[in-house]
Amino acid sequence: ARKQYSEAVEQYEAALKLDPKNAVLLNKMGISYHQRMMFSKARKYYQRSIKADKTYANARNNLGALYYDMRKYRQSVNEFRKAIKIRPDMAQAYVGLGSAYFARKNYEEALAAFRQAVGLDPEIFDHRGMFGTVVQSGVIRDRSLFYFFLAKSFALQKDAERCAHYLLRARDEGYKDMDKVEKDPAFAAVIKDPQVQAVLNPPPPTPPASPPSAP
């Protein structure tokens, strides 16, 4: 929690000497190395965690996130799908799956995964670290399109507030097809909402005040 990952590794190693096949501890070791960008060691511990408990979805999910950070998107998709097979209610794994599909330009699959994520947890992208890490990592090359797909996911869930939020982010990032949103059936349930309309039809800018006339 304090981001003291070297110290965390020392404590987990001591604990593992007492319980060397503890899947939770092995996963924690993987996280500690993952946060330090030591991908090879992180992968080793995630895989050991999975071997210790094949039903432990968290380790599968974290291995998927590791492959995502390594830009190995095919492996990333496979691990996220395995995590979901173990825990179909794991919203975080659907976020990872959608992100990996998006990176591979499988946009319809990405939309389906994001829709599953927000259906399970409408606040999933509000959780600290859940979304910012994906975008800030630099892996997402077209942020405007990524935000648009998030807006579309929330529109399909009839969540106008979050739809408007991500439409605004998409517009600010330079999304070029805002004029097509009103005709897109995915937005039909929220298109008349004032928050969505405010993004799609912003008021014209106020002209600057005229300078005072000379006396």
Side-chain angles (χ1 to χ4, degrees):
R2 295 178 180 176
K3 303 186 185 301
Q4 296 174 337
Y5 302 117
S6 298
E7 293 82 352
V9 165
E10 291 178 7
Q11 297 301 319
Y12 293 140
E13 284 178 339
L16 283 168
K17 288 179 181 178
L18 302 174
D19 191 0
K21 294 185 178 181
N22 186 303
V24 175
L25 286 173
L26 291 165
N27 181 54
K28 295 282 190 181
M29 283 284 284
I31 293 171
S32 297
Y33 283 119
H34 193 165
Q35 293 288 348
R36 294 167 67 192
M37 308 296 284
M38 300 172 71
F39 293 156
S40 179
K41 286 191 173 183
R43 179 168 53 187
K44 181 182 75 171
Y45 279 101
Y46 290 146
Q47 289 171 337
R48 283 180 60 186
S49 177
I50 292 165
K51 186 177 180 181
D53 182 357
K54 291 181 172 58
T55 66
Y56 189 41
N58 285 6
R60 284 286 186 193
N61 180 72
N62 290 338
L63 184 57
L66 178 70
Y67 282 133
Y68 181 91
D69 287 341
M70 296 171 72
R71 305 193 181 199
K72 295 184 177 183
Y73 302 122
R74 185 183 298 276
Q75 293 97 316
S76 181
V77 165
N78 289 340
E79 295 303 327
F80 285 127
R81 288 175 66 89
K82 289 175 182 177
I84 290 166
K85 187 174 182 179
I86 297 167
R87 275 191 54 194
D89 63 339
M90 195 175 191
Q92 183 177 352
Y94 281 105
V95 171
L97 180 63
S99 301
Y101 274 136
F102 186 88
R104 298 188 68 197
K105 298 185 178 181
N106 295 341
Y107 297 131
E108 290 305 314
E109 291 90 341
L111 177 60
F114 290 142
R115 186 179 182 185
Q116 286 281 354
V118 300
L120 289 165
D121 181 359
E123 298 180 355
I124 187 68
F125 292 105
D126 300 333
H127 300 328
R128 183 179 179 183
M130 176 61 61
F131 178 47
T133 302
V134 173
V135 175
Q136 292 167 8
S137 68
V139 177
I140 298 296
R141 291 183 174 84
D142 190 343
R143 295 189 187 189
S144 66
L145 183 60
F146 191 77
Y147 286 127
F148 174 76
F149 270 94
L150 293 185
K152 199 168 186 177
S153 301
F154 283 111
L156 290 166
Q157 295 297 325
K158 302 181 181 180
D159 188 334
E161 182 179 356
R162 289 187 175 90
C163 173
H165 172 76
Y166 286 110
L167 274 178
L168 180 60
R169 299 291 296 273
R171 190 189 74 188
D172 290 349
E173 289 286 345
Y175 186 69
K176 302 298 184 184
D177 294 323
M178 296 295 289
D179 58 328
K180 297 179 182 179
V181 170
E182 298 210 33
K183 297 180 181 179
D184 189 330
F187 291 90
V190 299
I191 199 64
K192 294 182 180 179
D193 187 276
Q195 298 170 98
V196 175
Q197 284 295 315
V199 178
L200 297 178
N201 301 293
T206 304
S210 302
S213 302

